[in-house]
């Protein structure tokens, strides 16, 4: 019985963990101490074996595998849905999600300080956020795989949509209904963090209008923050003009809904007196009968996450820039031009 | 020059870090290896000193201080706003936010496995999520400080609102306008994760109706999922009844807006033919002129986070159950009963 303490007490040793995981005791030690590289799949197997045997290296805390998720406005639709999808996709892979909001200067500085001061992130997913050269260099120095959901990030694997094409489709829907006087409710281009998306969507609108030889008076392009309130304000400004367009394209459903309510309150009947089309196809668009462009947010976030996990396993197959299809969803807020 | 490598190369030693942080080299070692308890403030000071001197214990990765945030539906309004606020509040404190969505069985299992298999979380914030006894025991076993935002969690420090009082206020607003036939659009009580909140809000409605001796036919209490779509479905079901109430209380703005749009499409003018009041005062409520109950989501999340940080510093002062005030916000969706 003197040597039987292992059998009697059931307390597992590092050798038991090694046996169960099919690796050497040295590998178990390296993995659980987190002090040198062990392939993620092996690390998972060892962590599972250690958990099953209730084994911990005395005095050591396990080191989690962490994926940093960087998002401008974590509570706004595209960001919130992406974050929720990334969290779901990471379940069971042994990775946890660490969130960084970078919609303001303080948040950006905090994120850059966190990644500069420490290297506890195993990978990073950027949600629709642009970085300047200095910030990009800091990311590159980290030396961990990075994936991108939406927006634009030259040189990084990205899953997004073709914003120009989507916005052209929205504008052409209105042109097809006979509208030629079409205004644009735009994100604010001065908002540099979202500059690329704003610019690319503007381009889609402009190209469609040019193709149809429809002129665009500059006062019909109104830029505001990308929120319901921004849409309310854009529509209020529009209503001060002596001549109104007959239709509006908005860069988000939130802005479109803000504009829709403002028009209704002003007694302008939608779509009889004014058509309006949004962008995103969020839950509110369905409820409020808003014609819009559907973009597959969950698929973008899921594919970007799976791609990152593949790269963490050493598989380079998903190292691409992918655009998923968008589509026009016609509901009740757009109709023929009665001008 | 033989002993001058420190000055020449600038490479810092553990003693330099200890001097700068005002602690012993042993404490620096314990802290940076994360192998035994060091007070969070000291740990921060050492981490800062080590970062400033670019010092790392050879072979060791820094261990982050992580706060787990547990939320049922990370992309829904209350949850998304709470998560964003917690992230903002944690900046500069040396803590990072790890997100767990627990709105489905898989998510709950994943969270419980993560906390059972490892102890890398330094604290946990629960956002409006109930736990059963087994889950609660697993949380207690972790032995880290826990804070609660919204919902109910007996025995844990919590910052929330008085849901019963808030719902009574909403119902009394309609009673005060002369309505006596008031329906309720409720969360689904079978949705056990939110059972407490659902039940408490129902209680507020029932108490207000009882106090006014207003009867409540059971078919006017309709339960659906807490989304815009749930509100659409609840209103559609209501419209199949031979006799309609003259006013509706909804348990969330999202449900109220879904109902509002459905009524509009059915040609029922709000508020002339039907008044409707929501709950939350989210951005959509402002844009759509919805009367509602304002609840201070950012303040709830911020105070719960600050309380947790205080407990992590060993300060028990915030160990309480706090309700922040709610208030009635009257907009255009409620009016006098014309019955």
């Amino acid at each position: 019985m003197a040597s039987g303490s292992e059998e009697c007490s059931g307390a597992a040793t590092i050798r038991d963990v090694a046996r169960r995981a099919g690796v050497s005791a040295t590998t178990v030690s390296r993995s659980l101490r987190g002090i040198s590289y062990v392939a993620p799949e092996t690390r998972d197997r060892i962590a599972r074996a250690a958990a099953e045997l209730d084994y911990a290296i005395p005095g050591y805390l396990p080191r989690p595998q962490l994926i940093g998720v960087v998002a401008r406005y974590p509570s706004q639709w595209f960001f919130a849905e992406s974050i929720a999808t990334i969290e779901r996709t990471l379940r069971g892979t042994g990775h946890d999600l660490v969130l960084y909001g970078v919609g303001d200067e303080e948040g950006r500085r905090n994120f850059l300080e966190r990644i500069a001061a420490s290297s506890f992130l195993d990978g990073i997913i950027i949600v629709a956020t642009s970085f300047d050269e200095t910030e990009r260099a800091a990311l590159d120095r980290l030396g961990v795989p990075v994936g991108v959901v939406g927006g634009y990030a030259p040189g990084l694997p990205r899953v997004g949509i073709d914003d120009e094409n989507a916005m052209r489709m929205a504008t052409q829907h209105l042109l097809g209904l006979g509208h030629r006087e079409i205004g644009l409710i735009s994100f604010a281009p001065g908002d540099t963090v979202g500059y690329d998306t704003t610019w690319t969507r503007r381009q889609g609108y402009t190209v469609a209008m040019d193709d149809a030889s429809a002129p665009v008076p500059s006062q019909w392009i109104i830029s505001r923050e990308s929120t319901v309130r921004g849409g309310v304000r854009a529509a209020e400004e529009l209503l001060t003009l002596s001549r109104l367009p007959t239709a509006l394209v908005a860069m988000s459903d939130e802005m479109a809904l803000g504009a829709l309510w403002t028009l209704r309150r002003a007694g302008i009947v939608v779509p009889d007196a004014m058509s309006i089309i949004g962008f995103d196809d969020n839950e509110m668009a369905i409820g409020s009968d808003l014609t819009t462009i559907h973009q597959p947010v969950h698929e973008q976030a899921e594919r970007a996450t799976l791609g990152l996990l593949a790269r963490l396993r050493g598989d380079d197959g998903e190292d691409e820039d992918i655009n998923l299809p968008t589509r026009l969803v016609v509901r009740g807020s757009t109709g023929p031009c009665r001008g």
Side-chain angles (χ1 to χ4, degrees), chain A:
Chain A
M1 294 299 269
S3 68
S5 69
E6 276 179 43
E7 286 89 351
C8 289
S9 72
T13 67
I14 196 165
R15 267 178 217 87
D16 298 327
V17 178
R19 223 176 352 252
R20 180 173 284 230
V23 297
S24 70
T26 312
T27 303
V28 172
S29 170
R30 278 165 54 202
S31 180
L32 292 182
R33 285 169 207 257
I35 57 174
S36 60
Y37 184 79
V38 176
E41 273 181 332
T42 311
R43 206 155 57 167
D44 280 359
R45 212 162 61 235
I46 293 167
R48 231 179 1 253
E52 283 159 7
L53 296 170
D54 204 17
Y55 175 80
I57 291 186
Y60 275 78
L61 292 165
R63 183 176 172 276
Q65 293 170 261
L66 300 173
I67 306 296
V69 172
V70 186
R72 270 185 288 150
Y73 306 109
S75 61
Q76 268 187 26
W77 179 77
F78 186 86
F79 303 95
E81 294 294 341
S82 292
I83 292 164
T85 298
I86 295 167
E87 193 274 335
R88 267 199 305 277
T89 310
L90 289 178
R91 288 178 197 163
T93 71
H95 297 83
D96 292 279
L97 185 165
V98 185
L99 180 65
Y100 300 95
V102 295
D104 52 12
E105 268 312 305
E106 187 207 54
R108 287 177 100 76
R109 209 169 43 234
N110 176 64
F111 170 63
L112 292 168
E113 277 170 14
R114 299 302 286 162
I115 63 173
S118 50
S119 55
F120 57 79
L121 297 177
D122 296 282
I124 291 178
I125 298 176
I126 298 169
V127 183
T129 301
S130 307
F131 289 100
D132 66 25
E133 275 178 43
T134 316
E135 295 168 336
R136 180 62 190 276
L139 271 177
D140 291 344
R141 265 199 306 277
L142 261 186
V144 303
V146 178
V148 174
V149 182
Y152 295 91
L156 291 174
R158 163 190 169 277
V159 184
I161 58 168
D162 182 336
D163 283 288
E164 179 177 335
N165 179 57
M167 203 65 178
R168 201 167 53 220
M169 184 162 40
T171 313
Q172 283 170 344
H173 167 63
L174 296 171
L175 289 162
L177 288 164
H179 296 278
R180 290 186 52 81
E181 303 186 331
I182 302 172
L184 174 68
I185 297 183
S186 168
F187 299 153
D191 174 12
T192 50
V193 283
Y195 185 84
D196 297 324
T197 302
T198 305
W199 181 249
T200 312
R201 291 194 188 170
R202 276 204 182 197
Q203 195 60 15
Y205 162 79
T206 308
V207 166
M209 293 297 275
D210 283 355
D211 284 353
S213 304
V216 181
S218 62
Q219 69 267 31
W220 287 353
I221 301 184
I222 301 182
S223 302
R224 286 290 176 279
E225 48 166 336
S226 168
T227 59
V228 174
R229 208 178 296 235
V232 167
R233 287 185 185 147
E236 284 170 354
E237 183 174 327
L238 196 77
L239 291 174
T240 65
L241 300 177
S242 55
R243 186 178 168 78
L244 296 183
T246 64
L248 292 170
V249 187
M251 283 201 188
S252 73
D253 285 346
E254 286 168 331
M255 296 192 89
L257 290 172
L260 192 65
W261 289 319
T262 306
L263 295 174
R264 271 202 189 127
R265 270 198 290 277
I268 295 173
V269 179
V270 174
D272 296 359
M274 179 90 74
S275 282
I276 182 161
I277 182 169
F279 197 112
D280 285 338
D281 199 24
N282 69 20
E283 217 213 350
M284 291 284 171
I286 301 168
S288 61
D289 208 23
L290 183 71
T291 297
T292 191
I293 299 294
H294 176 86
Q295 70 159 318
V297 59
H298 300 123
E299 290 80 354
Q300 289 174 70
E302 186 183 27
R303 283 193 64 169
T305 308
L306 293 174
L308 184 79
L309 290 169
R311 289 193 297 285
L312 281 167
R313 287 193 306 268
D315 172 358
D316 290 333
E318 291 278 342
D319 233 37
E320 307 160 51
D321 189 334
I322 299 166
N323 280 329
L324 299 183
T326 56
R327 63 187 157 79
L328 174 69
V329 179
V330 179
R331 297 201 184 94
S333 68
T334 52
C337 180
R338 313 250 171 116

